[in-house]
Amino acid sequence: MAQIRALRRMASLLTTPLAPEDFLALVNPLASTRQLRGVVTKVVRETADSTTIHFHPGRGWNAHAAGQWARIGVEIDGVRQWRSYSLSAAAGHDPAITVTAIGFVSTALARDTKVGDILFLNVPQGDFVLPAHPRPLLMLTAGSGLTPVMSMIRTLVPRRPDADVVLIHSARTAADALFRDELLELADQFPGLTVRHWYTREEGGRRLDLTDPTDLETLCPDWRSRAAYACGPSDFLDAATELWEHSGDDGQAQLTIERFAPVLLPGTGGAGGLVTFEKSDKEVEAGGDVPLLDAGEECGVVMPSGCRMGICRSCLTPLVAGKVRDLRTGEVHGDEGELIQTCINAAAGPVHLDI
Ligand SMILES: Cc1cc2nc3c(=O)[nH]c(=O)nc-3n(C[C@H](O)[C@H](O)[C@H](O)COP(=O)(O)OP(=O)(O)OC[C@H]3O[C@@H](n4cnc5c(N)ncnc54)[C@H](O)[C@@H]3O)c2cc1C
Ligand code: FES
């Protein structure tokens, strides 16, 4: 151990001002111990808007459980941007993400990623995972919400002859439905998987309605007895949560949901204020409903971020002065030195941040 430490010290002296890890990263980007990375091994266009990016992670990656997500960093115009993506590959395989182009980072990832590109990574996390003991499952998904569930289906269905999974997936049209052919093949091959697609356009524009049980009774009559997992847009998940809450004594215990965006309290934004990013020497007038993270990025501050919805705490930034409003609860808070989650707090008057 002492010899290894001495060798590292010598290497450091030779490579100063860069650390030996920086040189290693130049030769083999996956060897970096400073920042976990992955190399893109395959890119598959799934639909007009969605792309699956397979990658081989470097040292420090932990194998993912089906349904988990990871923070993915990508450099766009020289700035490293971080977003969270569910891992759509089966557990036990190299990871993949399936990105739907809806905004700044997702569009760059979905449209521009090539084999050989390097992605920056954080280890997988999240508790939207399969139950510890096998039981009949109902998967309710819409749009890109299918991605974590696809990992669960790919993991469970081919390996467990006792699997009993009903998937109800909603998409605008068959052409927009992610993984459609693979799901139909799996359902043909394995009697434990039933796939029901709901195409909004074919239903005359009517969306799958979870505000009452009628659609579910038709698509999956025994839905109440299954452990349910749901992932999709906020209103879809809000309706599912409400339906399960009112579906029986232990109904709520059976629904597990995964959100891609935070639940904000409507009308929480009050007056905003001037936000000063002290170390970056930047300031911007921000509305009372604009997360400090967005305000910072808008004026060119490199803000730390991850999930952008208040769960990963990657965005914590020290408050120097002022008060902020939690957009999930409306609570106004802020003491000097307090670490602020910039993704779910907005200015409540003038704010100074130590970044
Ligand atoms: C745990 C977790 C898992 C996720 N998994 C996936 C995934 O597997 N595939 C995927 O494409 N995205 C996924 N996302 C969303 C992803 O992190 C980004 O928010 C999304 O790609 C938009 O980023 P952007 O920079 O392109 O958009 P931005 O320019 O940052 O903003 C776009 C806006 O769209 C909202 N938004 C985020 N996701 C959606 C959505 N699916 N539909 C509609 N609006 C949305 C954001 O809250 C934001 O307000 C996940 C998010 C979380 C927190
Ligand atoms: S970015 Fe994850 S908590 Fe703010």
Side-chain angles (χ1 to χ4, degrees), residues 123-303:
V123 291
Q125 52 185 302
D127 45 18
F128 187 74
V129 292
L130 287 166
H133 302 291
R135 37 177 318 193
L137 302 176
L138 167 62
M139 309 304 205
L140 271 174
T141 60
S144 58
L146 179 55
T147 51
V149 164
M150 196 59 197
S151 171
M152 293 175 171
I153 289 174
R154 284 171 168 154
T155 303
L156 186 70
V157 169
R159 292 181 204 170
R160 297 287 306 228
D162 58 346
D164 175 1
V165 182
V166 175
L167 166 71
I168 300 175
H169 179 61
S170 169
R172 256 174 312 173
T173 64
D176 294 315
L178 280 173
F179 315 120
R180 182 174 179 274
D181 293 348
E182 181 184 345
L183 281 167
L184 296 179
E185 270 167 39
L186 281 170
D188 259 1
Q189 208 181 337
F190 298 100
L193 175 66
T194 305
V195 176
R196 306 245 183 271
H197 278 109
W198 177 283
Y199 300 127
T200 312
R201 196 170 288 170
E202 285 176 19
E203 300 289 337
R206 193 171 82 80
R207 295 168 76 187
L208 178 63
D209 184 7
L210 297 177
T211 57
D212 74 51
T214 316
D215 285 345
L216 273 185
E217 301 286 2
T218 312
L219 295 165
C220 178
D222 64 351
W223 65 276
R224 282 188 176 82
S225 63
R226 294 174 173 268
Y229 288 76
C231 186
S234 291
D235 52 351
F236 180 84
L237 296 179
D238 293 345
T241 305
E242 191 140 325
L243 183 59
W244 257 258
E245 262 168 16
H246 295 104
S247 70
D249 289 345
D250 64 344
Q252 183 56 24
Q254 299 201 356
L255 175 69
T256 309
I257 63 171
E258 179 80 318
R259 290 186 185 269
F260 287 177
V263 185
L264 303 180
L265 197 63
T268 25
L274 184 69
V275 185
T276 307
F277 302 89
E278 294 204 338
K279 286 190 179 135
S280 316
D281 196 19
K282 298 244 159 76
E283 56 182 32
V284 66
E285 194 64 51
D289 57 354
V290 176
L292 294 165
L293 174 58
D294 294 1
E297 286 179 344
E298 200 117 300
C299 67
V301 180
V302 180
M303 303 284 292

Side-chain angles (χ1 to χ4, degrees), residues 33 45 52 98 186 267 312:
T33 51
R45 305 279 167 227
T52 295
T98 303
L186 281 170
C312 76

Side-chain angles (χ1 to χ4, degrees), residues 69 83-86 98-100 102-106 144 147 258-261 307 309:
W69 55 275
R83 294 291 186 272
S84 305
Y85 290 96
S86 301
T98 303
V99 181
T100 300
I102 58 159
F104 176 52
V105 176
S106 55
S144 58
T147 51
E258 179 80 318
R259 290 186 185 269
F260 287 177
C307 67
M309 56 178 290

Side-chain angles (χ1 to χ4, degrees), residues 16-27:
T16 299
L18 295 180
E21 288 78 7
D22 298 322
F23 279 91
L24 267 179
L26 287 177
V27 182

